[in-house]
Amino acid sequence: MARYHEVYRRSLDDPGAFWREAAAGIDWHTPFTEVFAGERWFPGGELNTCYNALDRHLADRGGQAALIYDSPVTGTRRSYTYAELHDEVARTAGLLKSLGVRRGDTVVIYLPMVPEAVVAMLACARLGAVHSVVFGGFAAPELAARIEHARPKVVLSASCGLEPGRIVEYKPLLDAALAASAHRPEHCVILQRPQCEAAMGEGDLDWATAVAGAEPAGCEWVAATDPLYILYTSGTTGMPKGIVRDNGGHAVALHWSMAAVYDTGPGEVFWAASDVGWVVGHSYIVYAPLLAGCTTVLYEGKPVGTPDAGAFWRVAGEYGVKTLFTAPTAIRAIKKEDPNGDLVKDHGLRYLFLAGERLDPDTYHWASDLLGVPVIDHWWQTETGWPVAANCMGLEPLPPKPGSPTVPVPGYDVRVLDENGAECPPGVEGAIVVRLPLPPGTLPTLYRDHDRFESAYLARYPGYYLTGDGGHLDADGYLFVMGRTDDVINVAGHRLSTGAMEEVVATHPDVAECAVIGVADELKGQVPAGFVVLKSGTARPAAEIEAELVALVRERIGPVAAFRRVSVVARLPKTRSGKILRGTMRAIADGRTYRPPSTIEDPGVLAEIERALRSG
């Protein structure tokens, strides 16, 4: 670990020199006067993120593929060179400029996974406008709340989005959101898709016609501390919580991460199998690969599950993907449909990175054995924008420890604190925090709500950023993230991690997916309840498997876990991005009034969970 330790210590002992060196990978219009001052990175510097993602590559790699679009739901495959993507972005920026969008204005983007979504984000960055991408699965009330809070001058949307077997009409959702919002944008530009063309209203503009008549726009130089985008956290209730990302720190950190964490450089192909509406899509579909001169893949559809559990491997092999980044849920879904890996062909991958939720050791071993390449768990958040803990393959590959995202990434001074703010010894669980200042690229504030930023993230442990996750560091400095701190349950005075129980349950050979939540118990305060989805083809009685799981947890964790309730279910409630809705499950268990998130994949599954809970 000598190389890693050297870089990590330098990032903490002399962050000014460390990030000054990293900033040399970005083209600056005006050099920054200081690396860090007044809680902000690179003050005094001016740059343009779109210029760094596109324009500066034109001389050396204008003919190289910048974006590959693969859409099995429409039967479309298309590649854009850096020159072609630059031209599309410049014309779209020209359209926005003609509609009055200027530096500092906000633009809401409500689009499916189509090239225009990438173009729209980069076009905003080109003008110095602040984009706010709203995930295409959000319903009208959530979209309305974000429009009202962001106050966009323009909304960019589409007639529809496509999912396997169904069409989602976006325009009626947008119209309903605008009717419910107190803010009215000056213009809505609609991308008409042939699968379902939308009726246009007064003031609506057709995307293709409007862009065709626009003059290309150049780059506007902005301050490094100016915002690039606002991203509202998924599952927001009440007032939306808008994560702000600045231009300078974001560009520096993401460019550095591509080489140091992902070991992926100019000309190589990177695929983040996510959605542009989430932080992974912002960081690692759009910005980071293009800042690094890579080719990025944009996939429209669900690359897992029936009918095509082999889509990951098909896309990877067809386009020469070096690095694939997805969620553990996706790999577990593939494992459920294709447990023996019969669909795995010549994938050509060099790395598989996983993040978004805990990677259970069983899934880690299955993927490692099947693919024969490094499977790297890593951990980060919407708030951080790039990895907090990882096995940094571009610095020094470290021995993996299943269940751990490995070690803190340079720039992040990660600690584990107890309730009194004292550091926990190795192996003892507590709150995972990051000692201030946070590195570049992380959130400097919440949009129009700095007081909330301080109360939510900084007040609990002064001098530290509170991640909201619990876990521990081991004697070797490896971080183990056991889940949100509200996933820690108190069983008869014993604090227990439901994540640790999930880890045990997932090792059962018949289990494809699982979730464990805390439910109220008259005697013990809380007890854990488990829900499992079995692998395809499992014919054994559910009661038999449930009994084995209870015995397994008792064996691995002990009777103190009080793990006696487990139910086999057909599926778990998830968002369309694949995250299990544990919070909603806890609300059902507690008998609280809840509203299913608009991003839920299948609302009907909640009734099955409720029946299982009521049955005991």
Side-chain angles (χ1 to χ4, degrees), residues 262-284:
Y262 299 103
D263 189 30
T264 306
E268 296 179 320
V269 183
F270 189 92
W271 180 23
S274 182
D275 190 286
V276 292
W278 308 123
V279 70
V280 171
H282 281 57
S283 294
Y284 293 106

Side-chain angles (χ1 to χ4, degrees), residues 518-579:
V519 300
D521 182 81
E522 185 175 349
L523 179 62
K524 296 180 181 290
Q526 279 184 303
V527 293
F531 301 87
V532 298
V533 178
L534 302 181
K535 293 177 181 176
S536 295
T538 301
R540 299 173 57 214
E544 184 177 316
I545 295 172
E546 291 168 0
E548 291 174 357
L549 292 171
V550 170
L552 192 61
V553 173
R554 184 182 180 91
E555 175 191 340
R556 301 281 180 86
I557 296 179
V560 68
F563 185 82
R564 302 187 188 94
R565 301 176 62 178
V566 60
S567 303
V568 172
V569 294
R571 57 209 187 280
L572 295 173
K574 299 177 185 176
T575 65
R576 294 189 184 96
S577 67
K579 287 194 175 183

Side-chain angles (χ1 to χ4, degrees), residues 318-381:
E318 185 171 334
Y319 301 122
V321 175
K322 176 182 179 179
T323 306
L324 170 61
F325 176 1
T326 188
T329 293
I331 302 302
R332 286 194 291 267
I334 293 173
K335 182 176 68 170
K336 181 177 184 293
E337 297 296 328
D338 184 29
N340 298 320
D342 297 329
L343 297 176
V344 176
K345 306 300 182 185
D346 296 328
H347 55 77
L349 291 170
R350 178 67 182 87
Y351 301 115
L352 172 61
F353 279 82
L354 299 172
E357 57 182 328
R358 290 192 69 249
L359 171 61
D360 59 280
D362 188 54
T363 300
Y364 164 78
H365 287 299
W366 183 86
S368 297
D369 295 343
L370 186 67
L371 299 177
V373 301
V375 175
I376 300 111
D377 185 14
H378 64 320
W379 170 70
W380 49 295
Q381 304 177 310

Side-chain angles (χ1 to χ4, degrees), residues 439-512:
T442 55
L443 79 168
T445 189
L446 293 177
Y447 186 59
R448 294 172 46 209
D449 201 349
H450 191 73
D451 288 345
R452 187 179 180 190
F453 166 71
E454 293 189 341
S455 64
Y457 300 107
L458 308 182
R460 176 66 181 84
Y461 296 105
Y464 295 91
Y465 161 79
L466 179 66
T467 68
D469 281 287
H472 68 271
L473 290 160
D474 72 6
D476 297 322
Y478 280 59
L479 181 67
F480 288 77
V481 183
M482 303 311 294
R484 299 296 296 178
T485 50
D486 55 8
D487 286 340
V488 174
I489 60 174
N490 192 316
V491 181
H494 300 282
R495 289 171 57 83
L496 298 168
S497 168
T498 55
M501 297 180 209
E502 289 181 3
E503 182 174 314
V504 172
V505 171
T507 64
H508 191 285
D510 292 326
V511 171

Side-chain angles (χ1 to χ4, degrees), residues 102-385:
R102 298 293 183 266
R103 170 179 171 176
D105 289 337
T106 56
V107 174
V108 162
I109 299 171
Y110 184 61
L111 286 167
M113 287 286 285
V114 291
E116 286 81 1
V118 177
V119 168
M121 294 167 70
L122 291 165
C124 290
R126 193 169 190 83
L127 296 179
V130 182
H131 64 69
S132 181
V133 180
V134 179
F135 174 61
F138 271 121
E142 285 77 11
L143 177 58
R146 285 149 179 79
I147 289 174
E148 189 163 317
H149 196 257
R151 301 175 186 172
K153 180 164 283 190
V154 172
V155 172
L156 301 175
S157 189
S159 60
C160 68
L162 303 174
E163 294 183 2
R166 76 184 190 115
I167 295 173
V168 181
E169 295 188 46
Y170 280 23
K171 185 59 166 56
L173 294 172
L174 174 59
D175 289 342
L178 293 175
S181 173
H183 175 82
R184 183 79 186 186
E186 295 178 11
H187 301 280
C188 292
V189 183
I190 308 300
L191 175 69
Q192 293 281 19
R193 305 191 75 186
Q195 293 79 12
C196 180
E197 293 197 5
M200 302 290 275
E202 184 179 353
D204 292 339
L205 301 175
D206 177 81
W207 185 301
T209 302
V211 169
E215 290 293 324
C219 294
E220 296 288 334
W221 305 111
V222 300
T225 54
D226 281 350
L228 171 68
Y229 69 76
I230 307 159
L231 179 57
Y232 291 99
T233 54
S234 59
T236 299
T237 57
M239 182 65 70
K241 188 166 68 173
I243 305 301
V244 174
R245 201 79 65 207
D246 62 14
N247 275 272
H250 172 264
V252 171
L254 262 61
H255 179 267
W256 182 87
S257 74
M258 285 298 293
V261 177
Y262 299 103
D263 189 30
T264 306
E268 296 179 320
V269 183
F270 189 92
W271 180 23
S274 182
D275 190 286
V276 292
W278 308 123
V279 70
V280 171
H282 281 57
S283 294
Y284 293 106
I285 294 177
V286 183
Y287 287 113
L290 297 177
L291 288 167
C294 300
T295 299
T296 186
V297 177
L298 181 78
Y299 186 94
E300 184 183 24
K302 291 187 177 181
V304 297
T306 305
D308 190 8
F312 268 178
W313 325 128
R314 190 268 301 172
V315 171
E318 185 171 334
Y319 301 122
V321 175
K322 176 182 179 179
T323 306
L324 170 61
F325 176 1
T326 188
T329 293
I331 302 302
R332 286 194 291 267
I334 293 173
K335 182 176 68 170
K336 181 177 184 293
E337 297 296 328
D338 184 29
N340 298 320
D342 297 329
L343 297 176
V344 176
K345 306 300 182 185
D346 296 328
H347 55 77
L349 291 170
R350 178 67 182 87
Y351 301 115
L352 172 61
F353 279 82
L354 299 172
E357 57 182 328
R358 290 192 69 249
L359 171 61
D360 59 280
D362 188 54
T363 300
Y364 164 78
H365 287 299
W366 183 86
S368 297
D369 295 343
L370 186 67
L371 299 177
V373 301
V375 175
I376 300 111
D377 185 14
H378 64 320
W379 170 70
W380 49 295
Q381 304 177 310
T382 300
E383 289 87 345
T384 68

